[in-house]
Amino acid sequence: MNIPIILGIESSCDDTSAAILHGQKILSNVIANQEIHQKYGGVVPELASRAHQQNIIPVIDQAIQQAGVSKREITAIAITRGPGLLGSLLVGTSFSKGLSLGWKIPILEVDHLQAHILAHFIETSASMPQFPFLCLTVSGGHTQIVKVSDYFDMEIIGKTIDDAAGEAFDKTAKILGLPYPGGPFIDKLAKTGNAKAFQFPLPRISGLDFSFSGIKTSFLYFMRDQLRKDSAFIEKNKADLAASMQRIIIEILMQKLVKASRETGIKEIAVAGGVSANSGLRAALMDGESTFGWKSHIPEFQYTTDNAAMIAIAGYFKFLQKEFLPLDFTPYARALHKN
Ligand code: KG4
Ligand code: ZN
């Protein structure tokens, strides 16, 4: 069999992305961020789908050009079917149907959350995880510990019961007056702050589930009280506040990941999703190698937040299984598994 060339398309939220994959090697990965949402402090669904419509053709064109392949060489299209914003998903799925008809090539459906995990199988200099492994999937909408036994044999063994880790970062940033999405700004500020300056209580949630609403509320009340006493409190303590909140969010994540590794006996540990770009979380995962004897797998920075390279690699494994989608499919907004 010839090595397939797959065009991946991602449009589930506010990034329009296209990538070209040759086997497990990425030839191009183009991402158009939608800056329009920044002034609203969050993603506005209607504006997101309109921006996808504007971006999708130039982004795909650029991905093909950068990869140095011709359209005729593309074997299949991998597309995010869900979960995500329905209007955004519709732009990508409808466009892929048109391409599939025009170019006479099949469509491979990809689940966005599985794709974040499968990004670990993109050929890079780092070693790939061995099955079974545990993957901490942390994004703006989801927080899960997934036991991955094979490419598409995944079991969620822990999940958030309220907010996602990314939301905890974004809400903290909003209170501190930082732009949206706030995770990267907290990360940057935290580097110059004292992570022990402020203490917030760890939630007590049984099993492997997470909760972030408690620290969000304590942070909100704490800030309200401090600002009453000193209206310049944020300006004076911004870096320490960012560092302290980042520390507790990482502690919540790591506590359950360590527990999951102990309970399952699995020491191959991976992290995926936008929050896996966080330098503190990446460092904590690497520390796990010496502290707990883990083999930690951390994705390259460019494959952490939403991108089409991860969609293309997930599509590649679907292609090997010959799992093609009939053209009358519709996208799904909600996760196939809860949270
Ligand atoms: O996976 P992703 O790009 O989109 C979703 O599928 O949700 O994740 C976006 C989330 C946002 O909440 C963003 O603030 C967070 O990832 N994020 C970070 C960092 N970079 C992105 N959070 C903490 N530190 C970062 N460096
Ligand atoms: Zn994502």
Side-chain angles (χ1 to χ4, degrees):
M1 184 184 76
N2 285 337
I3 297 173
I5 295 182
I6 292 174
L7 164 65
I9 302 173
E10 155 66 25
S11 75
S12 67
C13 190
D14 60 339
D15 295 309
T16 320
S17 179
I20 300 284
L21 183 84
H22 180 233
Q24 287 174 248
K25 231 186 213 143
I26 294 297
L27 301 183
S28 65
N29 183 35
V30 177
I31 305 170
N33 304 116
Q34 302 180 358
E35 266 144 35
I36 179 111
H37 308 287
Q38 276 188 4
K39 64 178 172 199
Y40 299 99
V43 178
V44 184
E46 181 54 30
L47 296 179
S49 46
R50 252 188 262 166
H52 282 305
Q53 280 174 359
Q54 285 164 358
N55 292 340
I56 198 157
I57 294 177
V59 163
I60 292 174
D61 268 348
Q62 223 177 314
I64 293 173
Q65 258 181 37
Q66 278 184 20
V69 299
S70 79
K71 287 173 190 162
R72 286 164 183 276
E73 290 175 282
I74 297 171
T75 326
I77 304 159
I79 179 74
T80 310
R81 188 172 177 189
L85 300 169
L86 208 52
S88 292
L89 290 163
L90 271 168
V91 177
T93 51
S94 310
F95 198 83
S96 69
K97 288 180 190 185
L99 279 186
S100 163
L101 277 171
W103 294 354
K104 298 189 175 56
I105 54 173
I107 295 184
L108 307 152
E109 73 164 303
V110 171
D111 180 273
H112 182 88
L113 291 166
Q114 288 190 342
H116 269 300
I117 297 173
L118 294 173
H120 283 281
F121 295 97
I122 293 170
E123 220 173 278
T124 61
S125 53
S127 63
M128 293 175 190
Q130 304 287 311
F131 298 121
F133 65 91
L134 295 181
C135 188
L136 175 69
T137 309
V138 270
S139 71
H142 299 87
T143 300
Q144 306 173 331
I145 299 176
V146 185
K147 182 181 165 195
V148 187
S149 302
D150 206 341
Y151 298 112
F152 297 108
D153 182 359
M154 301 185 186
E155 184 194 351
I156 297 168
I157 58 173
K159 61 187 182 325
T160 182
I161 57 165
D162 40 57
D163 292 349
E167 273 176 289
F169 273 106
D170 294 342
K171 284 176 181 168
T172 303
K174 197 168 185 175
I175 295 170
L176 296 182
L178 299 167
Y180 177 87
F185 295 93
I186 297 283
D187 192 355
K188 199 163 164 223
L189 260 179
K191 290 195 174 108
T192 59
N194 172 9
K196 299 219 166 114
F198 304 104
Q199 308 288 332
F200 302 101
L202 270 172
R204 290 164 196 252
I205 306 292
S206 64
L208 296 175
D209 285 345
F210 303 93
S211 167
F212 291 97
S213 73
I215 52 153
K216 180 184 69 185
T217 314
S218 358
F219 185 60
L220 202 64
Y221 288 165
F222 172 75
M223 293 303 286
R224 194 189 54 189
D225 294 346
Q226 297 304 317
L227 285 168
R228 263 194 207 136
K229 290 186 241 164
D230 177 5
S231 61
F233 183 75
I234 292 182
E235 283 321 307
K236 288 179 190 160
N237 299 284
K238 219 177 219 177
D240 288 351
L241 288 163
S244 301
M245 279 302 278
Q246 176 167 301
R247 181 179 60 85
I248 182 103
I249 295 170
I250 294 172
E251 218 169 298
I252 294 173
L253 293 170
M254 289 301 291
Q255 204 182 44
K256 292 301 170 91
L257 191 57
V258 169
K259 190 170 176 350
S261 169
R262 279 213 186 102
E263 286 180 4
T264 58
I266 298 173
K267 293 192 172 199
E268 283 278 316
I269 308 289
V271 63
V275 180
S276 68
N278 185 269
S279 54
L281 180 61
R282 291 165 88 90
L285 260 288
M286 287 320 293
D287 284 349
E289 294 207 329
S290 53
T291 316
F292 308 113
W294 290 354
K295 174 78 191 98
S296 300
H297 300 273
I298 298 178
E300 266 185 25
F301 203 74
Q302 55 172 328
Y303 305 133
T304 53
T305 47
D306 289 349
N307 66 86
M310 67 183 198
I311 306 304
I313 190 79
Y316 169 76
F317 294 115
K318 286 267 161 102
F319 181 88
L320 295 184
Q321 296 184 359
K322 299 202 174 4
E323 254 190 74
F324 304 118
L325 207 57
L327 280 187
D328 59 355
F329 76 94
T330 50
Y332 54 87
R334 289 184 165 274
L336 293 178
H337 312 281
K338 279 220 93 190
N339 285 310

mmCIF file of all heavy atoms in Angstrom, residues 112 116 139-141 166-167 169-170 181-184 187 273-275 277-278 304-306, ligand 1:
data_model
loop_
_atom_site.group_PDB
_atom_site.id
_atom_site.type_symbol
_atom_site.label_atom_id
_atom_site.label_comp_id
_atom_site.label_asym_id
_atom_site.label_seq_id
_atom_site.Cartn_x
_atom_site.Cartn_y
_atom_site.Cartn_z
ATOM 1 N N HIS A 112 -12.698 15.077 18.384
ATOM 2 C CA HIS A 112 -11.723 16.091 18.778
ATOM 3 C C HIS A 112 -10.892 15.673 20.011
ATOM 4 O O HIS A 112 -9.674 15.894 20.066
ATOM 5 C CB HIS A 112 -12.474 17.395 19.060
ATOM 6 C CG HIS A 112 -11.603 18.546 19.425
ATOM 7 N ND1 HIS A 112 -11.056 19.391 18.488
ATOM 8 C CD2 HIS A 112 -11.171 18.993 20.629
ATOM 9 C CE1 HIS A 112 -10.330 20.301 19.109
ATOM 10 N NE2 HIS A 112 -10.382 20.087 20.409
ATOM 11 N N HIS A 116 -6.761 14.928 20.360
ATOM 12 C CA HIS A 116 -5.779 15.529 21.271
ATOM 13 C C HIS A 116 -4.835 14.437 21.792
ATOM 14 O O HIS A 116 -3.627 14.632 21.883
ATOM 15 C CB HIS A 116 -6.486 16.191 22.463
ATOM 16 C CG HIS A 116 -6.826 17.646 22.239
ATOM 17 N ND1 HIS A 116 -5.879 18.599 21.980
ATOM 18 C CD2 HIS A 116 -8.021 18.298 22.253
ATOM 19 C CE1 HIS A 116 -6.461 19.781 21.844
ATOM 20 N NE2 HIS A 116 -7.762 19.627 21.999
ATOM 21 N N SER A 139 -8.319 20.687 28.532
ATOM 22 C CA SER A 139 -8.528 21.740 27.535
ATOM 23 C C SER A 139 -9.468 22.798 28.100
ATOM 24 O O SER A 139 -9.758 22.819 29.295
ATOM 25 C CB SER A 139 -9.099 21.116 26.261
ATOM 26 O OG SER A 139 -10.424 20.726 26.496
ATOM 27 N N GLY A 140 -9.972 23.641 27.196
ATOM 28 C CA GLY A 140 -10.888 24.678 27.650
ATOM 29 C C GLY A 140 -12.259 24.123 28.009
ATOM 30 O O GLY A 140 -12.997 24.727 28.783
ATOM 31 N N GLY A 141 -12.600 22.969 27.474
ATOM 32 C CA GLY A 141 -13.928 22.414 27.719
ATOM 33 C C GLY A 141 -13.920 21.095 28.467
ATOM 34 O O GLY A 141 -14.971 20.639 28.931
ATOM 35 N N GLY A 166 -8.930 24.355 31.898
ATOM 36 C CA GLY A 166 -8.710 25.539 31.063
ATOM 37 C C GLY A 166 -9.606 26.689 31.494
ATOM 38 O O GLY A 166 -9.185 27.851 31.517
ATOM 39 N N GLU A 167 -10.843 26.347 31.867
ATOM 40 C CA GLU A 167 -11.766 27.391 32.342
ATOM 41 C C GLU A 167 -11.244 28.006 33.629
ATOM 42 O O GLU A 167 -11.388 29.217 33.848
ATOM 43 C CB GLU A 167 -13.131 26.758 32.649
ATOM 44 C CG GLU A 167 -14.063 26.671 31.471
ATOM 45 C CD GLU A 167 -15.341 25.950 31.858
ATOM 46 O OE1 GLU A 167 -15.276 24.711 32.066
ATOM 47 O OE2 GLU A 167 -16.380 26.611 31.971
ATOM 48 N N PHE A 169 -8.175 28.389 34.502
ATOM 49 C CA PHE A 169 -7.127 29.336 34.101
ATOM 50 C C PHE A 169 -7.753 30.603 33.514
ATOM 51 O O PHE A 169 -7.373 31.721 33.856
ATOM 52 C CB PHE A 169 -6.192 28.704 33.058
ATOM 53 C CG PHE A 169 -5.053 27.927 33.659
ATOM 54 C CD1 PHE A 169 -5.046 26.536 33.640
ATOM 55 C CD2 PHE A 169 -3.972 28.588 34.230
ATOM 56 C CE1 PHE A 169 -3.989 25.815 34.193
ATOM 57 C CE2 PHE A 169 -2.911 27.880 34.787
ATOM 58 C CZ PHE A 169 -2.917 26.486 34.769
ATOM 59 N N ASP A 170 -8.731 30.400 32.612
ATOM 60 C CA ASP A 170 -9.319 31.555 31.910
ATOM 61 C C ASP A 170 -10.090 32.471 32.862
ATOM 62 O O ASP A 170 -10.059 33.693 32.720
ATOM 63 C CB ASP A 170 -10.230 31.074 30.768
ATOM 64 C CG ASP A 170 -9.440 30.363 29.680
ATOM 65 O OD1 ASP A 170 -8.210 30.543 29.625
ATOM 66 O OD2 ASP A 170 -10.046 29.606 28.896
ATOM 67 N N PRO A 181 -7.874 33.984 25.391
ATOM 68 C CA PRO A 181 -7.904 33.054 26.524
ATOM 69 C C PRO A 181 -6.712 33.303 27.444
ATOM 70 O O PRO A 181 -5.597 33.500 26.992
ATOM 71 C CB PRO A 181 -7.823 31.677 25.845
ATOM 72 C CG PRO A 181 -7.148 31.918 24.534
ATOM 73 C CD PRO A 181 -7.431 33.341 24.143
ATOM 74 N N GLY A 182 -6.989 33.233 28.739
ATOM 75 C CA GLY A 182 -6.021 33.711 29.723
ATOM 76 C C GLY A 182 -4.934 32.738 30.128
ATOM 77 O O GLY A 182 -3.930 33.159 30.725
ATOM 78 N N GLY A 183 -5.098 31.434 29.812
ATOM 79 C CA GLY A 183 -4.112 30.424 30.247
ATOM 80 C C GLY A 183 -2.671 30.827 29.956
ATOM 81 O O GLY A 183 -1.832 30.866 30.868
ATOM 82 N N PRO A 184 -2.354 31.168 28.708
ATOM 83 C CA PRO A 184 -0.961 31.514 28.396
ATOM 84 C C PRO A 184 -0.465 32.745 29.163
ATOM 85 O O PRO A 184 0.717 32.834 29.501
ATOM 86 C CB PRO A 184 -0.998 31.813 26.894
ATOM 87 C CG PRO A 184 -2.233 31.155 26.384
ATOM 88 C CD PRO A 184 -3.205 31.120 27.508
ATOM 89 N N ASP A 187 0.355 31.658 32.710
ATOM 90 C CA ASP A 187 1.600 30.893 32.626
ATOM 91 C C ASP A 187 2.809 31.842 32.626
ATOM 92 O O ASP A 187 3.767 31.667 33.394
ATOM 93 C CB ASP A 187 1.552 30.072 31.323
ATOM 94 C CG ASP A 187 2.636 29.012 31.241
ATOM 95 O OD1 ASP A 187 3.485 28.959 32.136
ATOM 96 O OD2 ASP A 187 2.626 28.233 30.265
ATOM 97 N N GLY A 273 -4.064 18.363 25.141
ATOM 98 C CA GLY A 273 -5.033 19.463 25.212
ATOM 99 C C GLY A 273 -4.341 20.784 25.493
ATOM 100 O O GLY A 273 -3.159 20.823 25.883
ATOM 101 N N GLY A 274 -5.082 21.885 25.303
ATOM 102 C CA GLY A 274 -4.522 23.224 25.412
ATOM 103 C C GLY A 274 -3.743 23.487 26.690
ATOM 104 O O GLY A 274 -2.679 24.117 26.657
ATOM 105 N N VAL A 275 -4.242 22.997 27.826
ATOM 106 C CA VAL A 275 -3.578 23.282 29.110
ATOM 107 C C VAL A 275 -2.234 22.540 29.216
ATOM 108 O O VAL A 275 -1.385 22.909 30.024
ATOM 109 C CB VAL A 275 -4.525 22.964 30.296
ATOM 110 C CG1 VAL A 275 -3.874 23.252 31.629
ATOM 111 C CG2 VAL A 275 -5.819 23.770 30.169
ATOM 112 N N ALA A 277 0.032 22.920 27.370
ATOM 113 C CA ALA A 277 1.062 23.892 26.981
ATOM 114 C C ALA A 277 1.646 24.569 28.221
ATOM 115 O O ALA A 277 2.673 25.231 28.143
ATOM 116 C CB ALA A 277 0.451 24.960 26.077
ATOM 117 N N ASN A 278 0.992 24.408 29.352
ATOM 118 C CA ASN A 278 1.413 25.123 30.571
ATOM 119 C C ASN A 278 2.775 24.638 31.078
ATOM 120 O O ASN A 278 2.966 23.444 31.323
ATOM 121 C CB ASN A 278 0.343 24.932 31.658
ATOM 122 C CG ASN A 278 0.662 25.742 32.887
ATOM 123 O OD1 ASN A 278 1.326 25.273 33.800
ATOM 124 N ND2 ASN A 278 0.235 26.991 32.897
ATOM 125 N N THR A 304 -0.368 21.112 21.202
ATOM 126 C CA THR A 304 -1.124 21.117 22.463
ATOM 127 C C THR A 304 -2.491 21.774 22.266
ATOM 128 O O THR A 304 -3.516 21.150 22.469
ATOM 129 C CB THR A 304 -0.341 21.856 23.574
ATOM 130 O OG1 THR A 304 0.013 23.156 23.087
ATOM 131 C CG2 THR A 304 0.900 21.096 23.989
ATOM 132 N N THR A 305 -2.499 23.041 21.830
ATOM 133 C CA THR A 305 -3.786 23.718 21.598
ATOM 134 C C THR A 305 -4.353 23.224 20.262
ATOM 135 O O THR A 305 -3.685 22.504 19.524
ATOM 136 C CB THR A 305 -3.631 25.252 21.603
ATOM 137 O OG1 THR A 305 -2.528 25.578 20.784
ATOM 138 C CG2 THR A 305 -3.382 25.780 22.992
ATOM 139 N N ASP A 306 -5.602 23.635 19.959
ATOM 140 C CA ASP A 306 -6.297 23.069 18.807
ATOM 141 C C ASP A 306 -5.511 23.227 17.505
ATOM 142 O O ASP A 306 -5.030 24.313 17.192
ATOM 143 C CB ASP A 306 -7.678 23.715 18.677
ATOM 144 C CG ASP A 306 -8.595 23.239 19.788
ATOM 145 O OD1 ASP A 306 -8.216 22.283 20.500
ATOM 146 O OD2 ASP A 306 -9.682 23.814 19.937
HETATM 147 O O1 KG4 B 1 -7.445 22.381 23.559
HETATM 148 P P1 KG4 B 1 -7.719 23.828 23.435
HETATM 149 O O2 KG4 B 1 -6.871 24.638 22.478
HETATM 150 O O3 KG4 B 1 -9.207 24.095 23.040
HETATM 151 C C1 KG4 B 1 -10.263 23.310 23.515
HETATM 152 O O4 KG4 B 1 -10.481 22.225 22.914
HETATM 153 O O5 KG4 B 1 -10.837 23.725 24.538
HETATM 154 O O6 KG4 B 1 -7.596 24.435 24.915
HETATM 155 C C2 KG4 B 1 -7.772 25.791 25.172
HETATM 156 C C3 KG4 B 1 -7.494 26.053 26.642
HETATM 157 C C4 KG4 B 1 -7.852 27.470 27.080
HETATM 158 O O7 KG4 B 1 -8.580 27.405 28.279
HETATM 159 C C5 KG4 B 1 -6.477 28.111 27.293
HETATM 160 O O8 KG4 B 1 -6.464 29.153 28.253
HETATM 161 C C6 KG4 B 1 -5.674 26.922 27.764
HETATM 162 O O9 KG4 B 1 -6.096 25.870 26.929
HETATM 163 N N1 KG4 B 1 -4.231 27.139 27.627
HETATM 164 C C7 KG4 B 1 -3.377 27.220 28.670
HETATM 165 C C8 KG4 B 1 -2.097 27.491 28.137
HETATM 166 N N2 KG4 B 1 -2.211 27.548 26.778
HETATM 167 C C9 KG4 B 1 -3.525 27.329 26.477
HETATM 168 N N3 KG4 B 1 -3.605 27.097 29.996
HETATM 169 C C10 KG4 B 1 -2.545 27.239 30.811
HETATM 170 N N4 KG4 B 1 -1.288 27.512 30.382
HETATM 171 C C11 KG4 B 1 -1.022 27.638 29.062
HETATM 172 N N5 KG4 B 1 0.231 27.889 28.655
#
